[in-house]
Amino acid sequence: MNILNTPFDTLFNTAPFSKIKDVDFLPAFKLAIDNAKAEIDAITHSEDAPSFENTIEALEFSGQQLDRISSIFFNLNSAETSDNIQKIAQEVSPLLSEFSNDITLNEDLFKRVKAVYDCKSSLNLPTEQDTLLDKKYKSFARNGANLSEDKKQKLREIDKQLSQLKLKFGENVLAETNNFEMLITNEDELSGLPEGELEAAKQLAESKNQEGWLFTLDYPSYIPFMTYADNRELRKKLAIAAGKKAFKGDALDNQDNVLQIAKLRFERAQLLGYKTHAHFVLEERMAKTPEKVEAFLEELLEKAKPAAAREFQELQDFATELDGITQLEKWDSGYYAEKLKQKRFDLDDEKLKPYFKLENVIDGAFKVAQKLFGLEFEEINTIDKYHEDVLTYKVTNAKGEFISIFYADFFPRAGKRNGAWMTSYKPQYIKNGTEERPHISIVCNFTKPTKTKPSLLTFNEVTTLFHEFGHALHGMLANTTYPSLSGTSVFWDFVELPSQILENWCYEKEALELFATHYQTGELIPMDLVQKIKDSAAFHEGMQTLRQLSFGLLDMSWHGSDPSSITEVKAQELKAFEHTQLFPDVKENCMSTSFSHIFQGGYSSGYYSYKWAEVLDADAFEFFKEKGIFDKEVATKFMDNVLSQGGIEDPMVLYKRFRGKEPQPEALLRRAGLIEK
């Protein structure tokens, strides 16, 4: 019997990674799909009149084995992939897309769902059940249940194509990232790079049987080089390589994939009666409409642009004064910004790194969670891992009750995509009176320990760890009945609130005192350094805001109008960046072809949500600051009304219950130094 199709005989019902073989996946998926279809058939052909329990609830708990296999497989495809896994993904994705369509386009099933939905007002359901009914009905109506047969068939074709195109897009980006290497054999060309980065580059070269120092497009290699390397030509080489990923007109080029994805999404939205893909997506977001998103982005742009222009001119003047640079280019930005920051605040990331040993930062995140929410984290080695680098923890509450399993995977490797993310291997829910607790994972790409140094994080990496850990807390503290409303299953522009708010603790003396100690001496981070971190928090915030807004505007330019007439990806991009561009364009580069968030991940028509959630987090953290950053009452309110509630109610209702009022954009503008405090 296939291990993936049987109940896992493991501690806490964790995934038995070491016993799963690649060849198990495809047959397991096929059998799980058949089993799920049988469950759907039983609901569809029930003799009983449709009710919430025998239709909506039964539908919610159908296909659980399939969901579990999917979460294991697709998480591995992101964090520990191989040619084999990618090949299986290409085979499996159309099967899953087809199965999903089999449900949403099943007329008899939809009749039962609609029969319950039409009686909604007389059912007097509790809030969570009411939300679930709404969600289930919309999952049919928004996915073609009301379409004619020929249009349903067209929808199936579009969904199948999209699932394969998105996978191909991601595979190309990963292949491009892995394909580029810059080997340096002349030590003089490494001037400016910190000792730790040089050691890591030498170790990487050795691991590939090469002499010299090896640099790649993985963030722990790329970012320090762009920040510290004095050699402008080599910075240019690396920056252009990063910017032209999947934009070379070769087998790994994504231009056609981008055009096809945008056009198919538009076609799909039109088929379902929506003006654009953005109109379709945003109906289920706090923002509600593309017009509201565009107004939100434009309002922030109006506030940020003058500050960004000032900061850019100041950086240009600084680079001219220092090195005679007459035209600041993209590959100069990080380098001169770091030098200017050092000059202004006497703050060097390299001086900070010894205080942020990875193990200490992890412990710090745990201590913050303990002080705020009463959680305890115990490292355990009695459950399976998918890679030896992965750390595994058992999470309990103040009463000693089991809360969650937590996986943490911190270092880059060939089978892992760039960036950082939180995911789940098993959701939280209550079924037949039994509560199932979640299995949550965070995945990052930090610098690996070397022969002489542990993994030391930049301050930016510290905030990244806290950000993903904030998502993880949202998953771990879930306390709902239904899996599709649990944890991070919330409106997309609300999901970043728990992650972004936690970053604020990284800037606070009370929090840093818990973990920021020198890895060699044990000395606590000097308070003047803490003050400098706080003072520099709004450094270049105008330029940073403009950069984020440009990504949001690019996303909306692909999805907020009819893309049918677009033939040139780069031309479309330049048009979208028209009002946010500071640096000269680099003709060889294109962002869209590697913009995985919107073309592979779930952020299409949703990239604005990072800024939207910043408004929420700045406003929410002001509440903590008023009462004290570890105030138990505010923390409990946040846990009870936000972290534990998942998507059981409209997020604005939940937020107001926590905060007592709607969020104010001024809180973000104050924090960013864009308006007076």
Side-chain angles (χ1 to χ4, degrees):
M1 186 64 174
N2 191 322
I3 191 166
L4 288 162
N5 297 115
T6 55
F8 299 151
D9 183 19
T10 54
L11 190 63
F12 303 111
N13 191 17
T14 49
F17 295 110
S18 64
K19 295 189 176 71
I20 302 169
K21 299 177 185 67
D22 288 358
V23 292
D24 294 333
F25 281 113
L26 194 55
F29 268 115
K30 286 178 175 174
L31 181 57
I33 287 171
D34 286 344
N35 292 342
K37 279 181 176 172
E39 292 172 8
I40 297 295
D41 284 347
I43 298 166
T44 307
H45 301 120
S46 168
E47 298 286 316
D48 300 323
S51 69
F52 180 84
E53 288 73 19
N54 71 21
T55 302
I56 307 303
E57 203 165 60
L59 199 51
E60 171 71 359
F61 287 116
S62 68
Q64 285 192 294
Q65 185 186 76
L66 179 59
D67 291 343
R68 192 82 199 272
I69 296 168
S70 295
S71 69
I72 292 170
F73 176 77
F74 286 103
N75 283 332
L76 290 179
N77 191 33
S78 292
E80 185 59 10
T81 197
S82 62
D83 291 346
N84 232 354
I85 292 279
Q86 290 184 351
K87 187 168 169 290
I88 297 164
Q90 285 289 358
E91 288 184 70
V92 162
S93 291
L95 297 180
L96 292 172
S97 175
E98 188 69 14
F99 170 66
S100 173
N101 286 145
D102 283 344
I103 295 175
T104 53
L105 302 178
N106 181 328
E107 269 185 66
D108 292 334
L109 180 61
F110 180 52
K111 279 178 190 162
R112 288 185 69 86
V113 170
K114 192 173 185 308
V116 182
Y117 184 77
D118 288 344
C119 302
K120 191 180 175 197
S121 56
S122 62
L123 293 175
N124 296 320
L125 296 169
T127 302
E128 190 175 352
Q129 293 189 348
D130 195 61
T131 301
L132 184 70
L133 174 54
D134 222 37
K135 190 169 179 172
K136 287 291 174 227
Y137 175 76
K138 282 179 178 171
S139 75
F140 285 85
R142 283 171 52 81
N143 286 295
N146 291 315
L147 295 179
S148 62
E149 207 46 55
D150 60 324
K151 287 185 176 176
K152 282 181 182 174
Q153 192 49 44
K154 180 70 181 156
L155 190 73
R156 283 177 185 273
E157 287 163 20
I158 290 173
D159 286 346
K160 193 171 177 178
Q161 280 178 274
L162 277 171
S163 72
Q164 288 171 311
L165 284 166
K166 289 196 297 186
L167 268 178
K168 187 69 188 139
F169 181 97
E171 285 170 12
N172 289 351
V173 173
L174 182 62
E176 285 278 75
T177 305
N178 288 339
N179 286 350
F180 179 86
E181 291 182 346
M182 184 170 78
L183 183 69
I184 295 174
T185 51
N186 179 355
E187 199 165 349
D188 294 344
E189 293 181 336
L190 300 167
S191 160
L193 282 165
E195 180 199 330
E197 312 309 335
L198 291 174
E199 190 181 357
K202 198 165 188 60
Q203 202 165 300
L204 184 60
E206 283 169 11
S207 74
K208 300 197 174 194
N209 299 314
Q210 298 185 58
E211 288 282 317
W213 295 265
L214 192 62
F215 297 90
T216 70
L217 300 180
D218 286 327
Y219 290 159
S221 178
Y222 176 79
I223 299 293
F225 197 94
M226 298 307 297
T227 308
Y228 297 108
D230 294 330
N231 190 314
R232 194 182 188 208
E233 278 308 304
L234 288 176
R235 289 201 313 270
K236 178 180 178 178
K237 182 182 176 181
L238 199 60
I240 288 178
K244 66 177 182 182
K245 279 188 295 204
F247 185 61
K248 301 192 189 94
D250 56 12
L252 297 174
D253 192 283
N254 268 337
Q255 290 176 83
D256 193 49
N257 291 331
V258 165
L259 292 172
Q260 282 198 64
I261 290 169
K263 286 170 186 176
L264 284 169
R265 283 173 171 167
F266 175 73
E267 207 179 316
R268 188 182 194 279
Q270 289 261 299
L271 202 58
L272 293 167
Y274 293 87
K275 190 177 170 189
T276 67
H277 178 66
H279 285 84
F280 169 76
V281 168
L282 293 166
E283 187 179 71
E284 292 292 277
R285 300 285 190 264
M286 288 177 84
K288 303 299 183 207
T289 66
E291 293 74 24
K292 182 95 180 270
V293 169
E294 277 155 11
F296 170 72
L297 294 173
E298 290 297 334
E299 185 188 350
L300 286 181
L301 182 60
E302 191 187 322
K303 298 283 196 305
K305 199 169 179 179
R310 277 196 309 274
E311 291 163 4
F312 182 77
Q313 190 56 51
E314 178 186 55
L315 196 62
Q316 173 67 74
D317 295 344
F318 179 70
T320 305
E321 181 194 329
L322 204 63
D323 291 324
I325 301 291
T326 53
Q327 176 60 67
L328 211 57
E329 302 284 355
K330 286 180 181 175
W331 44 87
D332 298 318
S333 177
Y335 178 76
Y336 288 106
E338 180 62 24
K339 282 195 161 9
L340 180 58
K341 191 165 85 170
Q342 284 180 28
K343 183 184 173 191
R344 178 169 302 166
F345 303 103
D346 187 26
L347 185 66
D348 178 357
D349 239 344
E350 287 301 305
K351 282 185 195 156
L352 293 175
K353 278 170 74 171
Y355 296 98
F356 296 124
K357 180 181 163 185
L358 174 61
E359 290 79 359
N360 293 349
V361 180
I362 297 166
D363 190 49
F366 291 168
K367 281 177 177 164
V368 167
Q370 195 275 326
K371 286 176 82 77
L372 288 170
F373 311 118
L375 297 179
E376 299 290 344
F377 293 77
E378 177 196 349
E379 188 170 1
I380 55 172
N381 291 304
T382 47
I383 64 172
D384 235 342
K385 309 174 178 195
Y386 57 87
H387 190 277
E388 62 184 6
D389 286 349
V390 177
L391 304 171
T392 45
Y393 299 89
K394 175 188 171 188
V395 187
T396 53
N397 64 13
K399 296 177 192 161
E401 295 163 334
F402 175 61
I403 293 295
S404 177
I405 289 294
F406 178 53
Y407 300 92
D409 178 0
F410 290 120
F411 304 121
R413 51 183 177 266
K416 187 176 178 181
R417 67 178 167 90
N418 249 329
W421 62 94
M422 165 268 179
T423 187
S424 149
Y425 283 93
K426 176 176 171 284
Q428 174 274 333
Y429 58 91
I430 299 166
K431 186 180 179 186
N432 300 329
T434 303
E435 179 163 20
E436 295 284 342
R437 294 306 305 168
H439 300 171
I440 303 299
S441 171
I442 63 171
V443 188
C444 304
N445 281 280
F446 298 146
T447 306
K448 286 187 93 150
T450 62
K451 288 168 189 161
T452 63
K453 277 194 177 78
S455 177
L456 301 175
L457 305 190
T458 63
F459 187 70
N460 192 40
E461 288 175 325
V462 174
T463 59
T464 296
L465 192 151
F466 269 68
H467 178 103
E468 298 309 331
F469 188 63
H471 280 310
L473 290 172
H474 200 186
M476 286 187 245
L477 289 166
N479 184 24
T480 61
T481 305
Y482 303 112
S484 72
L485 300 177
S486 179
T488 56
S489 300
V490 299
F491 281 1
W492 210 269
D493 42 10
F494 191 60
V495 79
E496 295 296 334
L497 167 60
S499 53
Q500 289 180 189
I501 193 172
L502 207 68
E503 291 182 38
N504 289 282
W505 273 262
C506 300
Y507 296 90
E508 296 297 324
K509 176 174 175 285
E510 275 177 86
L512 288 167
E513 283 173 343
L514 299 174
F515 67 93
T517 55
H518 196 285
Y519 79 101
Q520 287 169 315
T521 65
E523 172 210 6
L524 184 67
I525 189 168
M527 283 309 121
D528 66 317
L529 270 184
V530 174
Q531 192 52 48
K532 284 172 185 174
I533 291 172
K534 289 197 79 159
D535 292 344
S536 68
F539 177 70
H540 279 185
E541 193 61 46
M543 283 170 68
Q544 288 298 339
T545 300
L546 207 65
R547 182 171 176 270
Q548 285 288 95
L549 293 175
S550 74
F551 297 165
L553 291 165
L554 177 61
D555 173 25
M556 293 308 285
S557 85
W558 282 114
H559 298 115
S561 54
D562 180 356
S564 308
S565 59
I566 302 170
T567 54
E568 294 287 328
V569 173
K570 181 68 188 261
Q572 176 66 12
E573 198 167 285
L574 287 173
K575 203 167 103 188
F577 288 157
E578 192 182 348
H579 299 297
T580 57
Q581 191 173 333
L582 294 171
F583 294 91
D585 176 57
V586 181
K587 70 175 189 307
E588 307 97 308
N589 286 7
C590 179
M591 184 187 172
S592 298
T593 53
S594 61
F595 198 176
S596 300
H597 269 77
I598 68 167
F599 290 113
Q600 184 196 6
Y603 278 85
S604 64
S605 307
Y607 202 88
Y608 77 91
S609 60
Y610 282 106
K611 275 291 163 208
W612 186 277
E614 273 188 53
V615 169
L616 297 176
D617 100 67
D619 186 72
F621 193 65
E622 281 195 354
F623 194 20
F624 274 98
K625 291 279 282 182
E626 285 163 22
K627 308 280 185 180
I629 66 163
F630 289 115
D631 183 80
K632 262 288 192 261
E633 191 186 336
V634 179
T636 303
K637 269 189 164 185
F638 192 66
M639 181 167 67
D640 291 350
N641 295 302
V642 177
L643 295 177
S644 65
Q645 296 299 286
I648 69 170
E649 267 186 277
D650 185 287
M652 191 57 86
V653 173
L654 294 175
Y655 187 84
K656 281 159 69 176
R657 208 170 283 150
F658 153 68
R659 186 68 167 101
K661 62 186 179 73
E662 288 202 2
Q664 306 300 313
E666 289 72 26
L668 170 62
L669 297 169
R670 274 194 294 275
R671 185 176 71 187
L674 299 175
I675 59 172
E676 291 299 312
K677 290 192 176 181

